[in-house]
Amino acid sequence: MRTSIATVSLSGSLTEKLTAAARAGFDGVEIFENDLLAAPLTPEEVRARCADLGLSIDLYQPMRDMEAVPADVFARNLRRARAKFALMNRLGTDTVLVCSSVSPLAVDDDALAAEQLARLADLAQDFGIRVAYEALAWGRHVSTYDHAWHIVQSAGHPALGTCLDSFHILSRGSDPKGIEDIPGEKIFFLQLADAPPLAMDVLQWSRHHRCFPGQGGFDVAGLVRHVLHTGYSGPLSLEVFNDVFRQAEAGPTAVDAHRSLLVLKETVGLTTPPAPVVPTGVAFAELVTADAEPVSAVLAALGFARTARHRGKPVDLWEQGEARVLVNTAGAVRRDGTRLAAIGLESPDPAAAARRAEAFLAPVLPRRRAPEDAPLDAVAAPDGTELFFCATDRPARPDWRADFADTGHTPRETGVRRIDHLALTQPWHHYDEATLFHRGVLGLHGQESVDVADPYGLLRSRAVTNADGSVRIALTVGAAPSDDTVHAQHVALATDDVVAAARRFTEAGGRLLPIPANYYDDLAARYEFAEGELETYRALGILYDEDAYGVFRHCYTHTVGRVFFELVQRDGGHRGYGAVNAPVRLAAQHTAR
């Protein structure tokens, strides 16, 4: 099934939007009227440009406030429509979108609406054009898809059909099952958009907060299944109004958009791409730094030892238990500080995982390696983090650790067992894309998004995880572009006894993040602790949380560059990440900074 995107979904000039859509792999576009009006190109030049790019023009939109109006107003509407139909002939497109009226002049008269839409379709037919009538969720008298279809049915004109829009249908809570009562040939167009669940005016919700399918809370896939049952054979087209997308670079946004349709098509059974290969663990976290000494000191205090060094690159392997951290000093710029640049993911089938990633438009990263180096497949996440698919401790596959020469050093026991989770700060315009990427490409499950108060703004965070929690990645974004560099990334290390681990860390010279005394006064009011327990937490800066499954205790090291470490203890299957404590941690980090 062909894919299309409305030019309103992308930023830039019309030419830039068309180029981005073509490069991302779309088959066609909807030309939004404002984009054409502002373009220096003639309609013929736009048509030629689309043809050169391999794009069809699937829809021209929107035509507004056409139906159920007084006779003199409708006469003016027909005059305007005639000019637009002639324009569409010049563009080379044969379908126009007509939105249900929001005009105060429109009357609540379905018979008049059907009559005037039939006359509009008569005129359109003279130009070889079809009219797709759509119910706006905030339409003055027609606001549901079944009402719009009733009017189209009553008009009974071959050049008049309906346009279905997932946002307008699902935002109102309409049951999409009724779509199956519409003949497929009378569904002239299908527009798709998702949205997060918000309690706000539907018009503002629509104009500012739509997102691509799979990035919000709507069952867009369920709606598409109903549409497919009708026999609809037109394109799957994205129409997404979003303030962030309008400011972000068009190219990456178009790729994100196309990826969302690839995931959707797989979900509804239209395609069978390579199956997801869900990672089974974290092989390593790689830190890039221009100065290895500060981060090495923190790792040493945590009980890690520099157990190996890469045979051909300035990369050290630090280990304790199953937790592995690579410290890479190749190519780092001192002003960037230390940052989390790559993650090694344990994979049952690294080659298949890479094929899946490539099929869903993840850029495969070229890798400079010596002939004897392990052949690791790597792709880039939307934020630029490199993801390596690894097979550690499996004799049948190359082990990445064979690239490292043993140093003979042994880790000091401090109770660190493995990497519990990783937190990645996302560029402000890639948050939704990152969630879809980790779900669609890696097969991870996205948890609910949470908002966290920061002393200077607001953070949004969403964790993605595999079924058993052996892979957990928290994706975080600030409220403004400047937040990309303000907020740090971190590596959380699992331990069976966070108190003992914290004490060993401080005894080895490590510095834990001081937590204000007021926090512990509040803990005393909310929970009951054993004698001396709260005093221990206060002395070490350990934070505490509970959920329905268990208890979470955690503390933080000081920040090195853009990275800090967290020691965590999960008891009883606790599933969270200490979000309730995040405002206190963020304030403490700002104070320390």
Side-chain angles (χ1 to χ4, degrees):
M1 184 169 273
R2 298 174 63 260
T3 59
S4 185
I5 186 169
T7 55
V8 74
S9 306
L10 302 171
S11 68
S13 66
L14 179 57
T15 300
E16 291 170 328
K17 296 178 184 207
L18 297 177
T19 301
R23 287 179 176 172
F26 282 95
D27 302 305
V29 291
E30 305 174 32
I31 299 289
F32 196 67
E33 184 169 62
N34 288 356
D35 287 322
L36 180 67
L37 297 182
L41 303 179
T42 66
E44 290 81 6
E45 288 171 332
V46 172
R47 178 178 185 170
R49 178 62 178 158
C50 287
D52 289 343
L53 292 170
L55 295 171
S56 58
I57 302 178
D58 297 324
L59 186 75
Y60 187 72
Q61 65 122 332
M63 196 172 285
R64 302 180 183 275
D65 299 330
M66 298 298 295
E67 83 286 8
V69 292
D72 60 328
V73 175
F74 184 64
R76 292 197 298 272
N77 287 348
L78 285 181
R79 177 179 173 276
R80 173 162 55 96
R82 180 181 295 277
K84 296 302 177 184
F85 294 155
L87 171 67
M88 289 174 62
N89 282 169
R90 296 170 64 193
L91 274 175
T93 185
D94 66 356
T95 306
V96 65
L97 176 70
V98 174
C99 304
S100 62
S101 181
V102 297
S103 169
L105 299 176
V107 296
D108 187 7
D109 186 336
D110 286 359
L112 179 60
E115 175 196 338
Q116 291 183 344
L117 285 173
R119 290 177 61 190
L120 178 67
D122 260 338
L123 178 61
Q125 194 170 42
D126 292 342
F127 289 84
I129 287 170
R130 306 183 308 165
V131 175
Y133 182 55
E134 172 189 64
L136 292 178
W138 54 90
R140 182 171 176 83
H141 301 297
V142 178
S143 58
T144 62
Y145 78 91
D146 49 347
H147 191 176
W149 165 236
H150 169 73
I151 291 173
V152 169
Q153 252 188 321
S154 299
H157 196 287
L160 178 66
T162 189
C163 173
L164 300 176
D165 183 306
S166 64
F167 179 86
H168 294 306
I169 295 170
L170 299 176
S171 64
R172 293 188 59 89
S174 299
D175 185 353
K177 192 176 189 314
I179 290 171
E180 297 188 27
D181 296 330
I182 305 174
E185 65 273 12
K186 295 300 285 183
I187 301 174
F188 283 1
F189 211 74
L190 174 63
Q191 294 178 319
L192 301 173
D194 206 338
L198 297 172
M200 66 187 309
D201 173 74
V202 70
L203 175 58
Q204 297 305 312
W205 192 12
S206 172
R207 290 285 171 83
H208 302 283
H209 299 286
R210 295 195 195 194
C211 53
F212 297 127
Q215 297 178 348
F218 290 163
D219 183 11
V220 178
L223 181 143
V224 171
R225 288 190 184 97
H226 291 305
V227 174
L228 294 177
H229 287 160
T230 70
Y232 171 77
S233 58
L236 301 177
S237 190
L238 298 172
E239 186 197 42
V240 174
F241 298 86
N242 184 292
D243 294 344
V244 172
F245 295 167
R246 285 170 175 161
Q247 298 173 69
E249 187 180 347
T253 303
V255 171
D256 179 30
H258 196 214
R259 182 183 295 123
S260 77
L261 287 184
L262 294 176
V263 173
L264 178 65
K265 289 167 77 171
E266 178 188 36
T267 303
V268 301
L270 287 172
T271 58
T272 53
V277 182
V278 181
T280 57
V282 177
F284 62 80
E286 181 173 354
L287 307 180
V288 172
T289 182
D291 182 4
E293 185 175 344
V295 71
S296 298
V298 175
L299 288 169
L302 286 166
F304 283 76
R306 188 173 67 87
T307 59
R309 185 169 178 82
H310 197 279
R311 299 179 191 278
K313 303 173 185 176
V315 181
D316 291 325
L317 170 59
W318 292 76
E319 293 185 275
Q320 184 179 178
E322 295 180 5
R324 306 178 192 93
V325 177
L326 302 182
V327 178
N328 185 344
T329 55
V333 179
R334 185 169 295 275
R335 66 175 177 270
D336 292 339
T338 301
R339 60 186 176 88
L340 178 56
I343 300 171
L345 295 172
E346 294 288 355
S347 175
D349 189 341
R355 288 194 296 272
R356 168 78 177 188
E358 190 170 8
F360 283 84
L361 310 181
V364 176
L365 297 174
R367 184 165 173 261
R368 181 176 61 85
R369 66 183 185 90
E372 65 273 13
D373 287 351
L376 284 181
D377 294 296
V379 299
D383 65 350
T385 301
E386 297 181 2
L387 302 177
F388 290 86
F389 301 115
C390 304
T392 308
D393 291 327
R394 268 173 280 165
R397 298 185 182 276
D399 191 328
W400 60 274
R401 292 179 300 180
D403 297 348
F404 291 77
D406 192 0
T407 64
H409 298 149
T410 303
R412 177 173 55 87
E413 175 56 46
T414 60
V416 170
R417 302 296 177 221
R418 66 186 184 282
I419 292 177
D420 180 88
H421 66 274
L422 299 153
L424 300 174
T425 302
Q426 301 299 301
W428 69 287
H429 54 288
H430 284 316
Y431 180 70
D432 291 327
E433 179 184 3
T435 302
L436 179 65
F437 175 92
H438 286 83
R439 286 178 51 246
V441 173
L442 302 180
L444 299 176
H445 171 70
Q447 298 180 341
E448 289 296 319
S449 181
V450 296
D451 292 337
V452 176
D454 177 271
Y456 300 98
L458 187 71
L459 298 183
R460 293 172 62 203
S461 182
R462 171 177 283 166
V464 290
T465 179
N466 63 358
D468 66 2
S470 58
V471 176
R472 296 185 176 100
I473 301 173
L475 307 169
T476 303
V477 67
S482 60
D483 291 343
D484 295 354
T485 56
V486 170
H487 297 292
Q489 309 157 313
H490 76 267
V491 179
L493 303 169
T495 178
D496 297 331
D497 187 340
V498 72
V499 171
R503 281 178 173 154
R504 292 189 187 110
F505 176 70
T506 57
E507 289 166 0
R511 290 189 294 119
L512 290 170
L513 182 70
I515 301 299
N518 293 334
Y519 169 79
Y520 296 99
D521 293 340
D522 179 65
L523 274 189
R526 291 192 291 128
Y527 300 107
E528 293 186 10
F529 295 98
E531 185 176 352
E533 182 180 1
L534 189 59
E535 287 69 27
T536 299
Y537 296 163
R538 187 192 302 263
L540 292 170
I542 293 173
L543 298 100
Y544 182 92
D545 189 23
E546 294 182 5
D547 67 8
Y549 305 95
V551 173
F552 190 68
R553 299 173 179 87
H554 56 134
C555 59
Y556 301 93
T557 72
H558 69 284
T559 302
V560 178
R562 290 189 61 199
V563 176
F564 60 93
F565 293 88
E566 178 183 10
L567 291 168
V568 307
Q569 177 184 342
R570 295 180 185 271
D571 292 330
H574 184 96
R575 299 184 182 182
Y577 302 83
V580 67
N581 297 323
V584 176
R585 185 259 296 174
L586 289 163
Q589 286 176 325
H590 277 291
T591 299
R593 188 180 297 118

